[in-house]
Amino acid sequence: MDQFRSFDQLRTGELSVIRHGFFRPWFELTDGQFSYGKFSYANLWKTSSILAAAHNTWIIKRKGVFSRSLLIHDTNDMEIGTITPELWSPKIMLSMNDGFEAVYLKKKVFTRTFTLTNTQYGDMMNFKTELLGFKTPFKVSVDLNQLKNVPNLPLLALLGINLILLKQERAAASAGVGG
């Protein structure tokens, strides 16, 4: 995975997410000069996805056919975390096996910003959806002070992209858009 630059070398607080492809899209996390990670679907049915960064690759799978929870696996197929959307709430809980817990949420009702927050570190990242942004659908704002504190920052950034895309797919499905 030497094609990606390490998050330790990140010098800017704002990253762009660039969409590549149309029928089988994949998304690149970049600062305009260097690539820091990649999000892609593992299969055509989008039941699992692959998150790749400089030193790690993670696989996100559904816990079961009717489950809303997602499992995070490393390349050795070891479960390292769980993502659970709260019932009747826009919050999405992230629980890692190393004890790290965070919440992905929208802080305001009519906003395009999705925030990753933690009780210890506060607001760690913001994911802003761009209006009519087909090629560049998101901007990710990272708190550079968190680079030394949080070891899985690339995973958290790519996971946020994955969760926003899942929310958009569910909203389109419930509205009857896209067949």
Side-chain angles (χ1 to χ4, degrees), residues 1 4-10 15-17 27-30 35-40 49-60 72-73 80 83 94 96 98 100 104 116 124-125 127 140-144 146-163:
M1 287 292 147
F4 301 116
R5 190 169 183 175
S6 175
F7 254 66
D8 298 339
Q9 298 174 343
L10 185 64
L15 299 170
S16 297
V17 177
F27 299 86
E28 176 186 13
L29 187 62
T30 181
S35 180
Y36 291 93
K38 175 182 171 182
F39 164 79
S40 61
S49 52
I50 299 171
L51 311 176
H55 303 294
N56 291 324
T57 300
W58 304 276
I59 300 165
I60 311 298
I72 305 168
H73 293 270
I80 61 169
I83 307 156
L94 169 67
M96 301 297 285
D98 62 1
F100 180 80
Y104 290 93
L116 171 66
M124 298 170 54
M125 275 184 226
F127 304 87
V140 180
S141 300
V142 180
D143 183 5
L144 294 177
Q146 304 298 338
L147 289 176
K148 298 170 191 72
N149 301 334
V150 182
N152 285 329
L153 211 54
L155 170 65
L156 300 176
L158 294 168
L159 198 55
I161 296 165
N162 184 13
L163 294 174

Side-chain angles (χ1 to χ4, degrees), residues 51-121:
L51 311 176
H55 303 294
N56 291 324
T57 300
W58 304 276
I59 300 165
I60 311 298
K61 299 178 183 178
R62 289 212 173 276
K63 190 172 185 177
V65 176
F66 298 107
S67 177
R68 298 172 345 116
S69 297
L70 300 171
L71 301 175
I72 305 168
H73 293 270
D74 62 5
T75 53
N76 299 327
D77 207 28
M78 296 285 297
E79 183 181 327
I80 61 169
T82 306
I83 307 156
T84 309
E86 288 187 2
L87 205 55
W88 309 110
S89 173
K91 294 180 181 179
I92 300 173
M93 296 294 299
L94 169 67
S95 300
M96 301 297 285
N97 290 352
D98 62 1
F100 180 80
E101 291 186 349
V103 178
Y104 290 93
L105 66 120
K106 282 189 172 186
K107 289 190 168 190
K108 298 178 184 173
V109 177
F110 298 110
T111 184
R112 296 176 296 150
T113 304
F114 199 54
T115 303
L116 171 66
T117 187
N118 175 289
T119 56
Q120 182 179 1
Y121 302 116

